Amino acid sequence: MGGTGGFVHTSLAVSTFLVWCQAQSSTRSYGPVFEEQPSHTLFPEGSAEEKVTLTCRARANPPATYRWKMNGTDIEVEPDSRYRLVAGDLVISNPVKAKDAGSYQCLASNSRGTVVSREASLRFGFLQEFSAEERDPVKITEGWGVMFACSPPPHYPGLSYRWLLNEFPNFIPADGRRFVSQTTGNLYIAKTEASDLGNYSCFATSHIDFITKSVFSKFSRLSLVAEDARQFAPSIKARFPADTYALAGQVVTLECFAFGNPVPRIKWRKLDGSQSSKWIGSEPLLQIQDVGFEDEGTYECEAENIKGRDTHQGRIIIQAQPEWLKVMTDTEADIGSDLRWSCAAAGKPRPTVRWLRDGQPLTSQNRIEVSGGELRFSKLVLEDSGMYQCVAENKHGTVYASAELTVQALAPDFRLNPVKRLIPAARSGKVIIPCQPRAAPKATVLWTKGTELLVNSSRVTITADGTLILQNISKSDEGKYTCFAENFMGKANSTGILSVRDATKITLAPSSADINVGENLTLQCHASHDPTMDLTFTWALDDFPIDFDKSEGHYRRASVKEAIGDLSIFNAQLKHSGRYTCTAQTVVDSASESATLTVRGPPGPPGGVVVRDISDTSVQLSWSRGFDNHSPIARYLIEARTLLSSKWKQMRTNPVNIEGNAETAQVVNLIPWMDYEFRVLASNILGVGEPSLPSSKIRTKEAEPKVAPYRVVAKSVLSSEMDVSWEPVEQGDVTGVLLGYEIRYWKDGDKEEAADRVRTAGLVTSAHVTGLNPNTNYHVSVRAYNRAGTGPPSASTNVTTTRPPPKRPPGNISWTFSGSTVTIKWDPVVARADESAVTGYKDSHSAPTLYLASKSRIDIPVPEDFTHAFVQIRVTGPGGDGTPAEVHILRNSGTSMMVEDSVARPAPHAVVITTHSLLMVALIRSLEL
């Protein structure tokens, strides 16, 4: 009796709990969830703003109440204090650094629990004035480097720096020769110049939100000692640290600047990895945007000029704030069950993890085990409900993850999931009847048919979750089935009625078939079923349902009769091959039958086309077989396209007919030095299939040019020289890279094989040939050549060189002065029969002066104070210039003749001879006075 009384007492207690839950169900209650949390705040000292606001807002039902902590201690918000709460925000009036600087946290609470916000710091920004002490002047030799120290005043946070020269606002630009460090504020000048003379002041600026404040130092005078500036090797003065720590996602800036003359160039490199695309390099600065762990490593700055180089190295070490990889979520759990929560965070250094419950530290105790990121509950009780937070932290920051745990204790309740009222089932079939009441803890389930308790047997199965399964159903199984559910909170039941119907059967099954692409076919499917129920047919291809509305007209119902579900297939394609399943279905059962449809068609595309053994006119192709689409491959075709045409054309092959079992062939008759792509097509008795993907683009090798130059013209210019010109070969006929042209020439009566050769380089279309025999008939032809060889010859042309000039110099030379003119005379030279005619004479008495005469005399103007000169006289004609006669003309020699033999003179060279009256240059030979 006492046992029964205890059970009733527990049920009443829980009934009260259930009523409270139902009253709240229309407006579900939940614990606080932060929507706004406080952020780090920087307040400028001396700001006209008289307050600081730290925000905090949480979504909760019932609404949350708020309180704040500073440095872990509760803040008392009194009516007359400087602290006020506006909703959840904390407002601090007249903030003072000594009292208010610190770390703040917001706590939001309601009846479901408490959560703690992230920590937010309140700091005060300031910038004091520079020292009032005068700065020492700097004196240095012009051309050397110099550094001015900024020595900024106390400040928070960091500053930006510029330097003034002489007066405001004459700021010094960063121009490669001068550099202002944004780390120290120091000014560096790599090589001083005269323009650097003057007074220098460091100008420091603080930026806090929208407030900007600037201060500048006393001036320091720079004096230069003028001196011939010698060049010197670089010396790095502004160095980045040996170790630079940075957080992932930030911008990292390294500084490097050197003294030197000439001004050194700065180069950057990463010594243990490739250069990042995020680099922004501007000589003294290396900036890496959105730095990541791949940017970690050793970096080198190199300063270099013509006198030498200097280097500096340092490491960038990447660390990271904690970042969640896995967090827990709001959970509803049954009383008495076990629960495991876990959270994990990434970061560098590796974050530590701790847990909070309702804002208080949670440690292992009784049924609760805390182990790093793991939190385990054994046999949950109602008191375990509340707000839980997982906190991951390292020296760079802290992250919070929150979740609510609701422990449920509920008596079985079928109102949301009752047993189905009417349960139809097919004769000889199977029926599944779920029993899913809402209950906590999980209910124990029993099933009855009428008043008979059901137990597991060959036809009856009650699963662990309470589901009832009846198999091989007969008419005798009809009746009422009731599910009874019970836990320590109470009990409930739900009933359904089982009705047995005739089974659905396929009476005419589809038959397998074999058709060609484009043909039509009907797959039959007839069925019988219980006449009290509707029958529907569905079709599936390889277990994927066929959507008639999206079949593009290929599928259609063949009949509207209820018992006939035939499927018509129109214009069958390869994709329609497969296993077709017809399913006849009622609300209680279904029956299926399958058949295979084979659609034959042209082969699929071959794969993996590879080009090898590339020559000038052929390549070897290989490929892999594609699908034959149920009809054997008979032969292959090879197509190609070039830069000359985007159209694919069938190519000649070896063998001419490529059999269906082949996987390689040679493509012939290609154009040398041409870019090609190839593709392969397979064919069978049903047609040519889709082509393969194009091969990679290749270029055939060079071949000798196939076309000769034309309109070759050869012209004799001297007794031993000729000029040859021609029309060039078109680029498309070169079949390679044109290196130039080859001129072949041979004497009349000789064989062409013995011809002499001259080659040109590039695209020139003329050549000058020397070393020929005088008065000789030559045959000339021209060929193009490339790396593969020489092309065919042009039609040969003939040319006869002229006879040589007379070998005898003019004789009996005399001269006469008349004021500013000297008249020179000589005996004419008469050409022999084997020499070219004399058409004139050349007189040269000064380097820039050449005179031509058709007779055996010439008048040459000379200055009044002219005293002497060297003169050369030679014959000229079609065969060239003859042997010169050289004379030394003196003004005071009157008209006396001076004939000199030039055979034994020194080797030709230019000599400048200076007299009191005239500067003369002997072009060919000279006599020394």
Side-chain angles (χ1 to χ4, degrees):
M1 189 66 139
T4 303
F7 178 76
V8 171
H9 174 76
T10 303
S11 299
L12 288 174
V14 172
S15 297
T16 304
F17 172 73
L18 288 175
V19 170
W20 180 84
C21 286
Q22 292 163 9
Q24 297 292 325
S25 63
S26 58
T27 55
R28 186 182 67 86
S29 61
Y30 55 90
V33 178
F34 282 115
E35 293 185 328
E36 287 187 38
Q37 298 189 57
S39 301
H40 297 307
T41 301
L42 184 61
F43 185 79
E45 286 188 356
S47 170
E49 186 71 27
E50 297 178 349
K51 63 182 179 180
V52 170
T53 301
L54 299 174
T55 59
C56 182
R57 183 164 62 88
R59 183 179 71 254
N61 189 20
T65 59
Y66 302 91
R67 55 192 175 93
W68 285 79
K69 288 187 176 184
M70 175 187 172
N71 297 333
T73 302
D74 286 336
I75 295 176
E76 299 295 335
V77 181
E78 302 293 343
D80 297 329
S81 72
R82 293 183 303 110
Y83 301 107
R84 288 186 299 120
L85 275 181
V86 179
D89 297 348
L90 176 65
V91 180
I92 306 174
S93 300
N94 302 315
V96 179
K97 178 180 178 180
K99 295 181 179 179
D100 300 317
S103 177
Y104 290 78
Q105 274 186 297
C106 171
L107 290 82
S109 305
N110 70 0
S111 57
R112 306 284 290 188
T114 299
V115 289
V116 181
S117 76
R118 66 190 177 204
E119 294 184 19
S121 64
L122 173 59
R123 294 185 177 182
F124 289 76
F126 65 95
L127 172 60
Q128 296 181 10
E129 295 291 333
F130 274 97
S131 169
E133 292 183 10
E134 295 295 331
R135 298 205 168 194
D136 294 334
V138 177
K139 187 175 183 180
I140 195 167
T141 301
E142 183 177 340
W144 289 88
V146 66
M147 184 271 286
F148 287 95
C150 179
S151 303
H155 60 275
Y156 184 85
L159 305 175
S160 63
Y161 299 96
R162 291 182 288 175
W163 279 77
L164 294 169
L165 177 56
N166 294 327
E167 61 183 358
F168 182 87
N170 185 21
F171 290 107
I172 296 174
D175 54 8
R177 189 174 66 88
R178 295 171 290 190
F179 172 66
V180 177
S181 169
Q182 296 304 310
T183 302
T184 62
N186 297 342
L187 168 65
Y188 297 85
I189 303 177
K191 177 179 78 77
T192 54
E193 298 176 353
S195 60
D196 295 325
L197 282 170
N199 298 305
Y200 289 79
S201 172
C202 181
F203 190 88
T205 303
S206 172
H207 303 274
I208 303 176
D209 292 335
F210 299 104
I211 298 176
T212 299
K213 179 182 179 181
S214 298
V215 294
F216 59 90
S217 70
K218 289 284 187 178
F219 282 89
S220 178
R221 178 150 187 88
L222 174 64
S223 301
L224 298 179
V225 178
E227 189 177 292
D228 289 339
R230 67 175 181 84
Q231 296 182 334
F232 61 95
S235 175
I236 295 176
K237 299 299 182 182
R239 300 167 176 260
F240 55 95
D243 290 327
T244 299
Y245 289 87
L247 291 181
Q250 291 184 338
V251 177
V252 174
T253 301
L254 302 183
E255 295 182 341
C256 180
F257 191 76
F259 293 171
N261 185 9
V263 175
R265 291 291 306 273
I266 304 295
K267 297 179 182 177
W268 294 89
R269 66 176 62 90
K270 187 180 182 187
L271 299 182
D272 47 6
S274 59
Q275 176 175 326
S276 170
S277 60
K278 297 178 290 185
W279 283 24
I280 301 176
S282 59
E283 293 250 335
L285 299 179
L286 171 64
Q287 199 171 77
I288 306 176
Q289 303 281 345
D290 189 23
V291 70
F293 288 103
E294 70 278 4
D295 298 308
E296 191 169 76
T298 302
Y299 289 77
E300 181 181 80
C301 155
E302 177 187 79
E304 183 177 22
N305 65 13
I306 58 176
K307 300 299 291 181
R309 59 191 290 269
D310 190 13
T311 61
H312 173 67
Q313 296 177 4
R315 292 189 307 156
I316 293 180
I317 302 169
I318 307 301
Q319 301 200 328
Q321 297 175 335
E323 182 179 354
W324 288 120
L325 301 175
K326 178 183 179 183
V327 296
M328 69 285 195
T329 57
D330 292 343
T331 302
E332 293 181 348
D334 292 349
I335 190 171
S337 64
D338 296 337
L339 176 65
R340 175 178 171 269
W341 262 344
S342 64
C343 60
K348 188 178 178 183
R350 183 188 298 274
T352 59
V353 179
R354 54 189 175 89
W355 292 83
L356 303 176
R357 178 168 66 185
D358 291 331
Q360 299 298 318
L362 183 62
T363 56
S364 297
Q365 51 183 293
N366 299 330
R367 300 171 298 97
I368 299 174
E369 180 183 353
V370 178
S371 176
E374 297 283 335
L375 175 60
R376 296 185 182 89
F377 295 88
S378 300
K379 300 187 182 306
L380 285 166
V381 297
L382 293 175
E383 290 76 14
D384 292 327
S385 295
M387 299 300 300
Y388 289 80
Q389 288 179 286
C390 183
V391 185
E393 54 195 343
N394 64 13
K395 65 181 181 180
H396 301 299
T398 305
V399 289
Y400 291 75
S402 303
E404 182 175 2
L405 172 60
T406 304
V407 180
Q408 302 181 107
L410 303 172
D413 186 351
F414 281 100
R415 283 176 293 181
L416 294 180
N417 293 302
V419 174
K420 192 175 180 181
R421 291 284 181 155
L422 179 61
I423 309 167
R427 193 188 308 270
S428 302
K430 179 174 75 172
V431 67
I432 299 174
I433 311 174
C435 179
Q436 297 174 330
R438 187 182 182 197
K442 181 181 176 181
T444 302
V445 172
L446 299 174
W447 279 92
T448 63
K449 178 191 175 187
T451 58
E452 175 189 358
L453 179 65
L454 297 179
V455 295
N456 286 335
S457 66
S458 59
R459 293 180 55 243
V460 177
T461 302
I462 301 174
T463 65
D465 66 354
T467 299
L468 173 64
I469 302 175
L470 303 178
Q471 302 192 62
N472 194 20
I473 293 174
S474 64
K475 197 71 174 174
S476 62
D477 291 320
E478 289 187 330
K480 292 183 178 182
Y481 288 79
T482 302
C483 172
F484 292 89
E486 181 177 5
N487 64 13
F488 77 89
M489 298 290 293
K491 60 179 68 176
N493 62 75
S494 182
T495 300
I497 298 174
L498 178 67
S499 174
V500 179
R501 313 291 175 87
D502 291 337
T504 302
K505 296 180 181 179
I506 300 292
T507 57
L508 179 59
S511 301
S512 296
D514 189 335
I515 61 175
N516 294 332
V517 167
E519 294 181 349
N520 303 330
L521 175 71
T522 296
L523 296 175
Q524 294 181 309
C525 186
H526 299 183
S528 63
H529 67 292
D530 190 295
T532 62
M533 294 181 291
D534 293 331
L535 178 67
T536 58
F537 287 90
T538 59
W539 285 86
L541 172 57
D542 294 332
D543 298 325
F544 288 96
I546 294 174
D547 187 337
F548 288 85
D549 294 332
K550 297 180 180 179
S551 69
E552 300 176 345
H554 290 291
Y555 295 119
R556 202 175 299 165
R557 299 280 189 188
S559 174
V560 295
K561 295 182 179 179
E562 185 182 25
I564 299 176
D566 296 353
L567 173 67
S568 292
I569 304 173
F570 297 93
N571 187 24
Q573 301 298 308
L574 294 172
K575 64 181 180 181
H576 297 137
S577 294
R579 184 169 62 89
Y580 285 80
T581 301
C582 171
T583 301
Q585 187 169 7
T586 65
V587 294
V588 298
D589 71 339
S590 64
S592 300
E593 291 290 346
S594 298
T596 300
L597 174 62
T598 300
V599 180
R600 303 185 186 277
V609 178
V610 176
V611 187
R612 53 185 174 83
D613 298 343
I614 302 169
S615 72
D616 56 347
T617 59
S618 68
V619 298
Q620 192 73 25
L621 241 60
S622 60
W623 60 88
S624 58
R625 290 173 58 85
F627 294 111
D628 63 10
N629 291 329
H630 313 295
S631 178
I633 297 173
R635 60 191 294 259
Y636 287 98
L637 302 173
I638 295 178
E639 293 182 339
R641 65 182 176 188
T642 69
L643 292 176
L644 303 178
S645 173
S646 60
K647 293 184 178 179
W648 292 93
K649 295 182 180 179
Q650 187 173 340
M651 306 302 293
R652 293 179 180 270
T653 60
N654 180 23
V656 176
N657 294 316
I658 307 171
E659 300 295 331
N661 59 355
E663 294 187 12
T664 183
Q666 186 182 42
V667 185
V668 298
N669 289 5
L670 300 177
I671 301 172
W673 201 243
M674 180 61 68
D675 289 339
Y676 281 96
E677 288 180 291
F678 299 93
R679 68 181 187 183
V680 182
L681 302 89
S683 65
N684 57 20
I685 59 173
L686 297 174
V688 179
E690 293 292 319
S692 69
L693 292 174
S695 70
S696 57
K697 188 177 292 184
I698 63 98
R699 177 174 290 181
T700 51
K701 293 185 176 180
E702 293 183 75
E704 298 173 353
K706 305 300 182 187
V707 177
Y710 61 100
R711 293 181 186 167
V712 177
V713 176
K715 182 179 180 181
S716 175
V717 291
L718 292 173
S719 60
S720 61
E721 301 176 13
M722 66 176 171
D723 287 334
V724 184
S725 63
W726 58 90
E727 292 294 329
V729 175
E730 294 292 335
Q731 184 61 41
D733 297 326
V734 176
T735 61
V737 177
L738 177 64
L739 299 180
Y741 293 90
E742 181 178 281
I743 299 90
R744 297 188 183 185
Y745 54 97
W746 64 98
K747 298 176 186 177
D748 190 24
D750 289 350
K751 293 184 178 181
E752 184 178 355
E753 290 75 10
D756 291 317
R757 305 179 185 191
V758 173
R759 280 193 167 185
T760 67
L763 302 178
V764 297
T765 57
S766 64
H768 184 70
V769 182
T770 61
L772 304 177
N773 292 334
N775 197 25
T776 304
N777 187 23
Y778 284 91
H779 300 279
V780 181
S781 69
V782 182
R783 306 166 185 244
Y785 72 93
N786 60 19
R787 287 176 292 196
T790 306
S794 67
S796 64
T797 186
N798 297 331
V799 63
T800 300
T801 55
T802 60
R803 288 173 291 177
K807 297 181 180 178
R808 298 172 307 288
N812 198 22
I813 301 173
S814 64
W815 60 89
T816 304
F817 284 92
S818 176
S820 60
T821 302
V822 59
T823 300
I824 304 174
K825 297 179 181 180
W826 58 89
D827 289 343
V829 178
V830 179
R832 297 193 181 107
D834 60 348
E835 294 177 334
S836 62
V838 176
T839 60
Y841 297 88
K842 290 183 178 180
D843 173 81
S844 175
H845 71 279
S846 175
T849 307
L850 178 66
Y851 294 91
L852 298 177
S854 59
K855 299 179 180 180
S856 58
R857 62 168 287 164
I858 191 169
D859 294 328
I860 300 175
V862 295
E864 290 288 344
D865 56 354
F866 167 83
T867 59
H868 67 98
F870 289 100
V871 178
Q872 292 180 348
I873 303 172
R874 70 187 75 195
V875 299
T876 186
D881 295 344
T883 304
E886 293 184 349
V887 294
H888 183 198
I889 297 176
L890 300 172
R891 179 182 285 272
N892 58 12
S893 64
T895 59
S896 62
M897 182 173 60
M898 186 177 180
V899 181
E900 303 188 14
D901 183 8
S902 62
V903 174
R905 295 297 167 82
H909 65 283
V911 176
V912 179
I913 303 169
T914 304
T915 70
H916 294 294
S917 58
L918 187 62
L919 176 65
M920 294 292 180
V921 179
L923 292 178
I924 298 185
R925 293 182 177 90
S926 66
L927 291 174
E928 297 194 11
L929 295 176

